[in-house]
Amino acid sequence: MSDFDLVVIGAGLMGCASALRAAEGGMRVAILERGAIGSGASGVNAGTLSLQIKRVGLIPYAMKGHEWWAKAGDAVGFQQTGGLTLAFNEREAKLLTERMGLKIAAGAPIELISSNAALAREPGLTRRIVAASWCPADGFASSNRTGTYLRSLLSAAGVALHEYTPAQNIERTDRGFTVDTTVGRFGCRRLLLATGAWTKQILAMLGLDMPIRVRVNTVAVLERGPRTVGSVIGHATGLLTLKQKSDGTVLIGGGWQGRGTPASGRGEVVADTLLNNLRLARFVVPGLASFRLLRSWTGFEANVPDFTPLAGALPGIPDAYVLTCVRGGYTIGPYIGRLMGDLILGREPEMKLFDPGRFADAAVVASD
Amino acid sequence: MTGTYDVIVLGAGPAGASAAIEADRLGLRVLVVDEQEDAGGQFWRMPGPKAARAHAEPDGNDLRARLRASGVTSSFGRRAWFIEPGFRISMIGPDGIEEGTASALILATGAQERHIPVPGWTLPGVFGLAAATVLLKAQGVLPGRRVTVAGVGPLLFLVATAVLKAGGEVAAIVDVNSRRDWLGHSRGLLSRPDLALRGASWLAQVRARRVPVLTRHAVRRILGTNTVEAVEAGPVDAAWTPIRGGARRIECDALCIGFGLIPLTDASRLLGASHRFDPTLGGWVVDVDRDQKTSVQRLYACGDGAGILGAAAAPLRGRIAVLAAARDLGRLPTSSFEVQARPLRAALSRSAHFGAAMTALSAPRPGLTNLISPETTVCRCESVRRAELDAAIAEGAVTINDLKSATRCGMGPCGGKICEEAAAMLIAERTGSAREHIGTATARPPLRPIALDPLLGEFNYDALPIPDLAPL
């Protein structure tokens, strides 16, 4: 049994970013991951880095997140292409104008542009645009490369990474916690749960429950084809993200729902919702009609009823922390993880975190 | 062919077509789906217009005639792209999307070839051994004028004989096995004397034409600038690792090379059935019991897709699967099931013996990966070289999914069908991990790449079901 200052459960973007910050601050850190590093939502999402689809309250965090991705650069396939969000009827135009107005007020470099200006940027779009917005800061990265990149950072920082090492039991001790795994017991002073959609199951090991729900988001990739679109394309409702990568493949997402649960370990694509997601994409970019569908998959996205991150100390359990349910976590994760690392180091984070204690009433501490 | 059936059979090869005919005999409403234009699969493939119909295997013609005479609904020229639990199968054909639903599904999806990326394998003029049989049988086309046939197993002699019969020259047969390896399986081979005799006749034809047969040899390099000009072959040891020296150059304009067959498991993996790694059945294979039932309720698998046991075992396994499905659907009393399944099982045990011997003879040995040089492209869809895979493995990619994420190996149009086996063998060699831990890529729809336009059909933007809005 080794003793760590911090054990992080979950080697996604947020767990790794927190671990890196804590290690930078001098802590001995281990990460326990049930599968491969970055293989959950961090590795299977559509890779969109867009301020236009972020929640208003998270815009400042997302802008900081963008800086991290830009710095990671080629290693994660980062490209700052700029992004367009489009509306195709009056209802969507109203929505677009209202929502982007609030995000502009929150500091995002977004501008509302005419449909002609949108078409001038992207001639491959449908002519049926009614309203549009443009954000030069938007872009994307290749989420499948997240894990490999994080692994190299952890290795350089001396963080002990244990992949394929699921946590099976957590006990509180007088010195902190012990976590039992398939390869033995890990002891630590502090514990961080960065377990994404699996957080409900892990919280149960601590006798806690929180109202965490899980969405099953669908992503599809089209076989490489002729250059058809250059920027990240979104829809006023948030129900489409679309980008063509430098190799010509096209990634399509937007949060259309598959089925499955984290407990069953796998999510499944539902044919009808996949087809409607693809129809929306083809409507927006008619040239996609000649492309072939190569693959589709799902990723689990956790959220709580107020759609605000769970990021901070766990109620009623000293030295235990949780970081999950960050809507837009791919963009924001690296930054909010750093803030989390600061909190664990006992420093004042430079932006406020989101106290999980707001669900303390719902949290049930086991009576035994 | 959109409709509701008692049973859907995916694949109309020897196993699937036999299963469909049996289902019809039992009074079940049955749909059989295949992307080819007629039944027969790869083994009894229907000859195309260029090939003489007389060249078709008589067993294949018989199967096609019996299928046509039955009440089976055949959905040929349709590609299944999505299967949902329960079961709903979506296929695309000349008239767009069609759907079939049934409470029982029988997978008879056959096998794919195991490729070992020998330096130069992406040159035009290099064919898979199984691909060469299709070229010769279905198209009546020779892979080249002077052909080297290399790799492992009975297909070596089948292809060589077919090349000779079609008027081509066979430069050499390069077999990684020794004569002793072949003899070691003679008991299994003699379990089906008819099939063993057929193999012996191939060998006799090869001998009569004085084709050089290099045993315990492998192709080390394929030479040529724009097309195959020659191959370099050399001796290998018992683990199939190349031995220093002894290389010889064989002039030829085509190479047919293959290292055995692997069960095609995309559909059973997509449906979440349990699988295991069993080298005696060709590698990763769906778990089936003696009734051909998988771990998923009312999902059955038969034919080479449920373990490489060959075309003789396939129809028997197909018929057993349908008997079990009929029983499970309450359409065949258990006592009748037992009476009807018993003779099929007896015949299966003989044929399976033969097939298992052939598969064991072809089971890859660890030295094969030494044929893949660092500069050799392993994943041709995404242009990933062996050196890049080795580097990613050294950095901690220990499963196929890890390696895929790290390097894009297997992310292209073939979905890993060509490179995954070689990539898994490389991980095994480098890490010493068992193939069970290395795993397979997660199966994801579509089963094959599919063009968007016919897939999406006509639609109206305003009618798209836009779900609830994301919160602000």
Side-chain angles (χ1 to χ4, degrees), chain B residues 121-168:
Chain B
W121 73 287
T122 51
L123 272 177
V126 180
F127 298 84
L129 273 181
T133 66
V134 172
L135 195 67
L136 286 153
K137 275 193 220 173
Q139 308 297 330
V141 170
L142 275 167
R145 289 163 173 283
R146 188 177 150 84
V147 184
T148 299
V149 181
V152 71
L155 281 181
L156 288 172
F157 295 92
L158 187 153
V159 168
T161 317
V163 167
L164 293 173
K165 192 170 160 194

Side-chain angles (χ1 to χ4, degrees), chain B residues 45 75 78 87 104 118 184 190 225 228 297 301 307 317 319 324 359 374 416 465:
Chain B
R45 198 167 166 119
S75 202
R78 268 110 180 137
F87 296 90
V118 177
L190 290 172
T225 28
V228 176
Q297 200 183 10
R317 296 172 89 192
R319 291 170 64 192
T359 302

